[in-house]
Amino acid sequence: MAGPAGGHRAAPGGRRRSLRPGPLRAAAVAAARARARARARARCCPPRPRACRSRPRKVPWPPRDAPWQGCPVTSPHPVASLGGDARAPAAGPAPQPPPCLRWRSPRRLRSGAEAEAGPDTSPGAHEGLCQCPAAMACQRSTKLNLLRLTVLLVVALAGIKFLFRDSLTLELHKHVSKDSGFWGDAGDTSQGAGPRSQALELPVAKITAPRQGPGQQVPKDISATEMRLVHLDLKGAAPKVSYLEQLFPLLSRLGANGVLIEYEDMFPFKGDLEVLRSPYAYSEEDIEWIQQLAELHKLEVVPLVQTFGHVEFILKHEKYQHLREVERFPNSFNPHVPDTLALLKSLLSQVMEKHRRSSWIHIGADEVFHLGEGMDSKSWMSHNRGDVGTMYLKHIKQVLGFIAARYQGLRALMWDDMLRKISAGALRESGIAKHVSPVVWFYAPDFEVEQIGQFLAKYAESGFEAVWFASAFKGTTGPAQAWPPLNHHVRNQLSWLRVMQAVPRFAPLRFQGIVLTGWQRYDHYSVLCELLPVGIPSLAVCLQTLVHGGFMEETRRKVLDVLGFQSMQLEQGTCEGRGAFPGVEIYRMVEQVNGHLKESIQKALEEESGIKGWFSPHHRKHQFGNPRNMESFGSKVLKLHEDWESLVRELRAQLESIYFPDTVEEWMEENVNPYLDQLRDLVRDYRAIIRLNARPKAS
């Protein structure tokens, strides 16, 4: 029978003889071969459309949905028909590829001579116009594997981003009242709601986001350019530069990328402004070194210069009293006196001259108390038919105009409380949105998104492009607070994280950064709040909460590792362990003073029966006492006195290593002496009467 090639016939005796057909015989053989090839082609590939024979197609041929069951190229068992009836393997040489596989690719059809030469078995010959099912399956498998690899890469990148992502008061520090006035009754000077101001309230808003506790995570999607500024309030307890050398590396490690420095009287003003300098003000070399330290640790320095309110450190001087809005109060500038703007230009120029590296400046402008109450302001409003808001914006516009003209590219920030009750139309008409970003502050532990959202909506409508927020890590829970409540401040950060998530609702307004305020005084005349070393654990927890997008176990571990503590109790506001951060010794000793000094002394004076019975105020006044009875309590009192004096001496030494003498004296007088002096007086009288050896009562 004819083999696949058809050129020889087997003789019955087993010998082969050559066939030498004539022309007709040769033609018949050629035709038979052609028919065989056609049948093989029909079995493997359906006929190609006529349009495809004239020019190459860009799509694979045959169609993907052709009912292939197998192929001689990829399978040792060729399929007999499209119906799928498989035949057993034929004996003899391996089957050859069918003629349909002679095309190399969709871009090139073989010539007639090549087609007559037999199947094309060159590399790549089985790709293109006619592909077998196994080859097509291989391609599909390859594409599926590529798709899987792509998905795995996307998941891996998302995981890496998740692991290494950045990100960010008794009532309120700064707030706005519910009444229709500009910022409340002009004469209201009540304290206790914020570091500096009267107590005002925001209206209670409907809950729009789930309230989360310290152990819950807030989803976070914040730009990598988010700024986290740590506020250094130097108008009280300004640290020596040597302490900042230790502090800045810690701030960077905890997730800060900038510091907002409110110099007030610690700046080395010169010339006509030299009167504003504190006796312990930083030198020009100190200012330069601070900036070099910040640059070394990748911290942006943003100077803060008050330009309207909270200028007590200026207006307390007789030289500048004529610039007061109300003659009796040194709080706010009179914006109508030409010397006011001239003074501010001088202040800003001297500060910016020493901060050429800075990209931002903060102009303060918050809590301008008694604005509109001065005679000049009343006259201006009468003649211009204006109101307090218009007058406020007029002054701010002059300040921003000077900055924009003098310092190209310098971006300005300002506290937003005075903007809250100015209409969007007035804000937009003033044009200040082109030159400044509002810093929205709110220090309550729990607040709703809509309480801030009402301001964000107005600022977006007013044309502001960027907005900042301000939380707090200390200095907002009482004017004489000595120990920061950790849980209070962590909850404040969690509330702000919820607001950050809502910012896209107020597009095109965008979130640019957050300031973690650490007020050292409520104002220039108030007492000191928590010292900076005492606030470091609170700052660490707050920063890491913003970095991680919530306070969770990972946040706790990071804080404990950086600060060198073994455990932390948010509710109690305490950390256990030796600690290893700048000022940890002060932290531990202030904890003792704050928690036990007053209590232990009061207990000794009021609950010790021996003192009440044999060493009363009457005995002490007349130096009258029996040593036998006095010795029953004397050793205990002397031991208590000795222990506290020893701790206070060490505390003073540590304070003096960080702070200037005025700060040390003020803090001791406010937090130690009122209680320890009682014990000192008791011990002094005790020793004096013991030496009298039971003499008669002195007259």
Side-chain angles (χ1 to χ4, degrees), residues 17-23 25-26:
R17 65 184 180 84
S18 174
L19 296 178
R20 298 180 181 276
R25 178 69 176 173

Side-chain angles (χ1 to χ4, degrees), residues 495-558:
S495 294
W496 275 117
L497 285 170
R498 291 193 293 272
V499 175
M500 293 176 196
Q501 290 297 310
V503 170
R505 290 164 36 192
F506 305 98
L509 190 69
R510 60 186 175 85
F511 168 66
Q512 186 156 38
I514 186 168
V515 179
L516 290 91
T517 60
W519 302 102
Q520 197 57 70
R521 299 185 193 276
Y522 274 31
D523 64 33
H524 185 77
Y525 283 88
S526 69
V527 299
L528 294 172
C529 299
E530 305 98 313
L531 295 174
L532 184 54
V534 174
I536 292 298
S538 177
L539 174 60
V541 174
C542 292
L543 270 173
Q544 282 294 295
T545 295
L546 294 174
V547 169
H548 288 91
F551 186 83
M552 58 208 79
E553 187 57 31
E554 181 184 2
T555 314
R556 184 189 301 270
R557 287 198 304 268
K558 176 69 173 180

Side-chain angles (χ1 to χ4, degrees), residues 194-504:
R196 313 176 187 172
S197 70
Q198 61 218 59
L200 304 172
E201 298 179 354
L202 277 170
V204 177
K206 184 178 180 181
I207 296 177
T208 58
R211 179 175 288 132
Q212 294 174 283
Q216 297 174 284
Q217 182 177 3
V218 178
K220 186 183 180 190
D221 182 15
I222 298 174
S223 169
T225 59
E226 171 199 349
M227 297 298 296
R228 289 184 289 270
L229 305 183
V230 175
H231 176 223
L232 299 178
D233 182 15
L234 304 185
K235 65 175 173 287
K240 296 178 181 178
V241 178
S242 58
Y243 182 71
L244 299 180
E245 293 175 359
Q246 306 172 62
L247 180 65
F248 282 8
L250 178 65
L251 299 183
S252 182
R253 188 179 177 190
L254 288 171
N257 51 20
V259 287
L260 175 67
I261 305 181
E262 186 168 353
Y263 288 106
E264 205 181 63
D265 59 359
M266 287 300 293
F267 189 82
F269 293 110
K270 56 187 178 181
D272 292 340
L273 303 181
E274 190 171 358
V275 67
L276 304 179
R277 295 177 55 167
S278 163
Y280 303 100
Y282 294 147
S283 67
E284 294 184 13
E285 293 74 19
D286 290 336
I287 300 298
E288 176 62 26
W289 180 229
I290 289 172
Q291 294 179 86
Q292 290 182 19
L293 288 171
E295 188 174 10
L296 178 64
H297 298 290
K298 297 179 174 57
L299 298 172
E300 174 79 19
V301 174
V302 181
L304 189 154
V305 180
Q306 286 287 1
T307 57
F308 212 160
H310 286 297
V311 286
E312 297 93 345
F313 80 104
I314 298 174
L315 299 184
K316 70 179 181 180
H317 296 285
E318 184 179 358
K319 179 178 181 179
Y320 298 112
Q321 285 186 5
H322 68 288
L323 301 182
R324 296 178 178 183
E325 168 69 0
V326 175
E327 195 280 331
R328 293 177 54 219
F329 308 131
N331 302 76
S332 308
F333 278 127
N334 179 345
H336 310 288
V337 179
D339 288 351
T340 294
L341 187 60
L343 173 61
L344 287 175
K345 289 180 178 180
S346 182
L347 284 167
L348 292 166
S349 297
Q350 289 198 24
V351 171
M352 290 313 303
E353 179 185 350
K354 301 300 179 184
H355 291 82
R356 298 183 181 275
R357 300 178 180 85
S358 296
S359 301
W360 283 283
I361 184 172
H362 197 307
I363 64 169
D366 59 312
E367 299 180 326
V368 188
F369 297 139
H370 309 291
L371 181 62
E373 296 180 28
M375 295 304 299
D376 290 341
S377 291
K378 291 179 179 179
S379 175
W380 184 90
M381 288 188 290
S382 175
H383 287 84
N384 294 276
R385 297 183 179 179
D387 56 18
V388 176
T390 304
M391 187 165 52
Y392 174 83
L393 291 175
K394 177 177 178 292
H395 177 75
I396 294 300
K397 188 174 181 179
Q398 291 176 326
V399 173
L400 293 174
F402 168 75
I403 294 174
R406 183 76 175 268
Y407 305 102
Q408 297 294 326
L410 182 64
R411 290 167 283 182
L413 308 175
M414 66 180 293
W415 303 120
D416 85 308
D417 55 292
M418 296 295 289
L419 304 177
R420 294 179 187 179
K421 300 201 86 174
I422 300 177
S423 69
L427 290 173
R428 185 170 54 251
E429 184 179 352
S430 71
I432 68 169
K434 299 177 181 178
H435 305 290
V436 69
S437 296
V439 182
V440 185
W441 53 263
F442 215 62
Y443 303 147
D446 299 293
F447 57 87
E448 308 305 335
V449 172
E450 291 306 318
Q451 290 178 271
I452 304 300
Q454 58 183 319
F455 306 135
L456 300 184
K458 180 168 67 175
Y459 298 153
E461 182 184 353
S462 302
F464 290 100
E465 298 178 358
V467 65
W468 290 61
F469 301 142
S471 61
F473 70 92
K474 77 179 188 73
T476 61
T477 55
Q481 185 78 23
W483 194 257
L486 292 182
N487 191 51
H488 176 106
H489 295 300
V490 170
R491 286 158 55 199
N492 178 243
Q493 313 307 317
L494 293 174
S495 294
W496 275 117
L497 285 170
R498 291 193 293 272
V499 175
M500 293 176 196
Q501 290 297 310
V503 170

Side-chain angles (χ1 to χ4, degrees), residues 614-615 619 622-628 630 689 693-695:
W614 286 278
F615 202 62
H619 288 88
H622 296 282
Q623 296 184 320
F624 180 66
N626 185 342
R628 176 184 178 278
M630 292 172 59
I689 294 176
N693 196 21
R695 292 185 181 180

Side-chain angles (χ1 to χ4, degrees), residues 127-149:
E127 303 173 359
L129 292 176
C130 184
Q131 295 186 357
C132 64
M136 295 172 64
C138 181
Q139 287 188 356
R140 287 194 295 270
S141 177
T142 302
K143 293 178 180 178
L144 183 58
N145 289 336
L146 288 174
L147 179 60
R148 289 171 178 166
L149 181 59

